[in-house]
């Protein structure tokens, strides 16, 4: 590994073989698309919207005066918002506490979506509003909402990416005010050997996003290196969930204070015979964000 890439997490050994999951829910055929549109209508009925659908190709949108619903056809994912209550700045003593919110969120997901994967609690955040009686009065803050994020897992490995998001928010009651359930149905489809994490990191030195950085004398410090699966956005078709390493860290030596990166490195040899037999397209899982210099 290049001396300019530093990995802080301790890597004890190379992981063993992991399962490759084949994604379902492709919406290419007309018959399947019609079925998905009918399912979108059932979601409209479930959330009680009185609105005409707007077909935007990759998603169906229902918009009423009080609520909004988006159904992503490629994955049958859902985003629903009670527009009269979500993100409000009205004080209330009925906002659930953290533990209650987690329990309510899990109960709602289990009773509504029949989760396609195990869900672990990833984060509980709060929405706080500040109030003041006048310019000379000290502002006071009050909790006006809470949001629970649950992380899908497969084989005890996290599923990363925009297509793996479960977020349930509450404001002034035990009923959700905002629901985002992004997940795609998958089926196990064989196993594949995972490359050593240091081998994945080594490829960063040849990544076009970083070659100039390293040649300029800067260094990459990886503070998080974790094996998991990558799921593309809910409106995108994806044939397989392939194992990836999540690499997150920062660039040292840059003139900018916030030069951080978070990207997904393929954890398998995409040119291997096994992956070719699985029909995985070249580099289906690489994604990330990186600031410019």
């Amino acid at each position: 590994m290049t001396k300019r890439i530093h990995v802080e997490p301790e890597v004890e050994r190379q992981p063993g073989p992991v399962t490759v999951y084949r994604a379902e829910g492709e919406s290419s055929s007309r018959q399947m698309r019609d079925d998905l549109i009918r399912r979108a209508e059932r979601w409209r009925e479930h959330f009680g919207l009185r609105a005409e659908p707007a077909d935007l190709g990759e998603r169906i949108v229902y918009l009423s005066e009080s609520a909004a619903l988006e159904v992503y056809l490629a994955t049958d994912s859902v985003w629903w918002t009670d527009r009269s209550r979500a993100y409000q700045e009205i004080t209330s003593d009925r906002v659930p506490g953290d533990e209650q919110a987690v329990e309510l969120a899990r109960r709602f997901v289990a009773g509504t979506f029949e989760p396609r994967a195990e869900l672990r609690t990833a984060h509980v955040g709060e929405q706080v509003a500040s109030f003041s009686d006048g310019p000379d009065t000290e502002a006071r803050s009050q909790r006006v909402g809470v949001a629970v994020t649950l992380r899908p897992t497969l084989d005890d490995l996290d599923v990363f990416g925009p297509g793996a998001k479960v977020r349930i928010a509450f404001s002034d009651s035990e009923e959700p005010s905002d629901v985002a359930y992004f997940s795609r149905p998958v089926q196990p489809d064989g196993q594949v050997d995972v490359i050593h994490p240091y081998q994945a990191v080594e490829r960063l030195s040849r990544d076009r996003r970083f070659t100039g950085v390293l040649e300029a004398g800067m260094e990459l410090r990886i503070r998080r290196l974790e094996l998991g699966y990558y799921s593309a956005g809910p409106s995108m078709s994806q044939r397989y969930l392939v194992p990836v390493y999540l690499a997150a860290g920062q660039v040292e030596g840059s003139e900018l204070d916030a030069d951080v990166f978070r990207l997904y490195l393929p954890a398998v040899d995409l040119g291997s015979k096994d992956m070719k037999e699985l029909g995985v397209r070249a580099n289906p899982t690489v994604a990330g964000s990186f600031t410019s210099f």
Side-chain angles (χ1 to χ4, degrees), residues 240-260:
Y240 288 88
L241 299 191
V242 181
V244 297
Y245 285 109
L246 164 63
Q250 65 188 66
V251 178
E252 295 186 345
S254 169
E255 296 180 357
L256 302 179
D257 293 332
D259 277 318
V260 298

Side-chain angles (χ1 to χ4, degrees), residues 215-228:
E215 291 173 357
M218 303 179 198
E219 298 181 349
L220 307 182
R221 187 165 298 276
I222 297 177
R223 302 191 183 278
R224 181 183 177 190
L225 185 62
E226 184 178 344
L227 179 64

Side-chain angles (χ1 to χ4, degrees), residues 21 75 105-106 109-110 113-121 150-160 163-166 181-188 229 231 241:
Y21 285 91
T75 57
R106 287 189 171 279
V109 170
F113 295 105
E114 299 180 0
R116 301 157 180 167
E118 293 293 326
L119 298 173
R120 64 169 57 128
T121 302
L150 304 173
R151 172 71 64 189
T153 66
L154 294 170
D155 296 335
D156 204 33
L157 297 176
D158 282 347
V159 184
F160 306 119
K165 175 182 179 180
V166 179
Y181 185 82
F182 297 170
S183 178
R184 44 178 32 95
V186 295
Q187 294 290 337
Y229 294 91
S231 180
L241 299 191

Side-chain angles (χ1 to χ4, degrees), residues 9-55:
E10 183 177 352
V11 178
E12 297 181 355
R13 59 183 176 83
Q14 178 171 343
V18 298
T19 302
V20 172
Y21 285 91
R22 176 170 48 85
E24 305 292 342
E26 301 284 348
S27 57
S28 56
S29 70
R30 178 63 181 271
Q31 181 178 357
M32 186 173 294
R33 181 177 176 83
D34 290 344
D35 178 64
L36 289 170
I37 292 175
R38 285 193 292 270
R39 293 171 68 178
E41 183 66 15
R42 290 200 295 271
W43 283 121
R44 181 196 67 80
E45 295 177 356
H46 176 85
F47 285 103
L49 270 75
R50 295 183 178 181
E52 293 297 321
D55 189 344

